[in-house]
Amino acid sequence: MQMGYSARGDFHTGPANGYAPVSGTPHLRVVNSDRDIPPDHETGDTNSDSAGYDETGNEAPAVNKTENNVPAKTEYSPTMISALSRDAEMKQTLSSVENSLGAPISPAHMQLIMYLTCDLGFPGDMVSYLYRLGADRGKTGPRYLETIALNWSSKNIKTVRDATTEAADFNGKYRPVKQALGFHRDLVPAEKEIIDGWDEFGFSTEIIEEACRRTVIQTGDTNLKYITKILEGWHNNGVKTLEDVKNVDEAFQKNKTKRARSPRRGHPNSNAFQNFKQRDYTDEDYEDMERQFLQRKNSN
């Protein structure tokens, strides 16, 4: 049964404001007019466009929480929270969140959990994953987690699988490649497939970034197949670190210089005159040649 909250403060059944949740969790939401919406529970500001944080932990531009059909955040009363917390799925979610935080759930976090489940329609496992993700990154502030959740909601991400993919795009192996190549867009499946193929080389992120950097400098392009060729060459040469890359570069230059100085096999100097072995002549030789010339002339 879904529960809402009327202007008089009593509970009623049925969908609140016509907004249906995605999960089976009971739905609580403040209804009626704007006067029923209290100030922001974190800042005390009545402006719902207060700034948040991006996924790197830096302060992000102000977010209008009503854009992209994302419901505005509202305050949940202790009575509403108590009623919702009796739900079996919610109990499991709250227990998981508490484990991720390593501490009792604060009022700010409780308000966020209510917003995620009741207004954004996140199922319990999505909320639990969000908090685990924040804990893994060492960032569990309510506003930081809310920013991630709003991003997921705007992209219609409603499952842990989709959220995991999104997190991998942002903070996984794709992000360094996008940054190194200057991409300000999502990678298409074909590009991800090429990048996934680099896993077999076992290179560190810094090696991958160096290959990307060289590709841009040498070709003026962001060709992923060109990057693959560079990585293949390094892998065949046993590269493990950037120092190994430097050693391979030096060996290549030495070999290149050596080939330039050595005549190519099968290609002798084409100037036959220069290849002719010259003879040193004495004065006697010149006199002898002169007598032979005069004798041939007189005989004619």
Side-chain angles (χ1 to χ4, degrees):
M1 178 179 297
Q2 297 176 347
M3 293 175 288
Y5 192 68
S6 70
R8 297 190 307 274
D10 57 333
F11 290 101
H12 66 85
T13 59
N17 283 353
Y19 183 82
V22 174
S23 71
T25 305
H27 182 65
L28 293 175
R29 187 169 179 187
V30 176
V31 297
N32 201 23
S33 63
D34 291 341
R35 63 184 176 85
D36 293 320
I37 302 177
D40 183 89
H41 69 271
E42 292 179 35
T43 64
D45 188 358
T46 57
N47 182 2
S48 62
D49 295 341
S50 56
Y53 294 87
D54 62 20
E55 292 198 29
T56 64
N58 300 318
E59 189 168 353
V63 177
N64 183 350
K65 299 180 179 64
T66 61
E67 290 183 355
N68 299 320
N69 296 322
V70 176
K73 184 170 61 177
T74 55
E75 191 85 3
Y76 289 86
S77 70
T79 304
M80 297 163 65
I81 293 174
S82 177
L84 181 58
S85 298
R86 288 195 292 268
D87 176 75
E89 182 182 351
M90 178 58 74
K91 286 181 179 180
Q92 184 177 358
T93 300
L94 294 177
S95 176
S96 174
V97 168
E98 197 168 67
N99 288 334
S100 296
L101 294 175
I105 300 174
S106 67
H109 278 293
M110 185 62 76
Q111 289 292 334
L112 176 59
I113 295 169
M114 297 299 107
Y115 176 59
L116 298 178
T117 57
C118 299
D119 292 294
L120 296 188
F122 281 13
D125 59 350
M126 274 276 289
V127 177
S128 297
Y129 174 71
L130 173 64
Y131 273 85
R132 288 198 305 271
L133 180 65
D136 290 342
R137 296 179 180 178
K139 301 173 183 178
T140 56
R143 296 177 69 185
Y144 173 75
L145 297 176
E146 182 185 340
T147 300
I148 298 177
L150 290 175
N151 176 58
W152 290 351
S153 182
S154 68
K155 295 181 178 181
N156 199 33
I157 295 174
K158 297 294 185 181
T159 67
V160 172
R161 180 178 180 179
D162 291 342
T164 302
T165 300
E166 177 68 15
D169 286 353
F170 179 83
N171 205 37
K173 60 185 175 183
Y174 303 127
R175 185 187 181 196
V177 175
K178 290 171 63 176
Q179 289 182 330
L181 298 179
F183 285 174
H184 299 288
R185 59 172 176 80
D186 292 335
L187 296 172
V188 299
E191 292 173 326
K192 290 182 179 180
E193 184 178 351
I194 293 176
I195 295 174
D196 289 342
W198 301 344
D199 292 345
E200 65 177 284
F201 301 135
F203 286 136
S204 64
T205 299
E206 60 183 5
I207 297 291
I208 300 293
E209 291 174 333
E210 177 63 17
C212 293
R213 187 187 69 85
R214 294 190 178 205
T215 296
V216 174
I217 292 176
Q218 295 173 7
T219 69
D221 197 3
T222 56
N223 192 319
L224 295 180
K225 291 184 178 180
Y226 190 92
I227 298 174
T228 301
K229 290 295 183 182
I230 293 178
L231 295 176
E232 284 179 349
W234 288 348
H235 181 261
N236 294 336
N237 282 281
V239 167
K240 300 294 183 183
T241 65
L242 286 179
E243 185 66 25
D244 293 338
V245 172
K246 181 180 178 181
N247 293 335
V248 169
D249 288 343
E250 291 177 351
F252 175 79
Q253 289 299 329
K254 288 180 180 179
N255 191 38
K256 183 178 180 180
T257 301
K258 183 178 180 180
R259 290 198 306 268
R261 291 178 177 175
S262 302
R264 290 179 295 175
R265 180 177 297 180
H267 294 80
N269 196 315
S270 59
N271 192 328
F273 178 79
Q274 291 180 353
N275 291 331
F276 180 78
K277 185 176 180 179
Q278 296 185 8
R279 175 181 175 182
D280 294 329
Y281 292 95
T282 63
D283 291 339
E284 294 179 355
D285 291 329
Y286 284 115
E287 290 177 357
D288 185 58
M289 285 189 290
E290 184 177 1
R291 281 196 301 272
Q292 293 179 17
F293 175 74
L294 291 174
Q295 289 176 357
R296 286 197 296 273
K297 183 177 181 181
N298 293 331
S299 63
N300 292 333

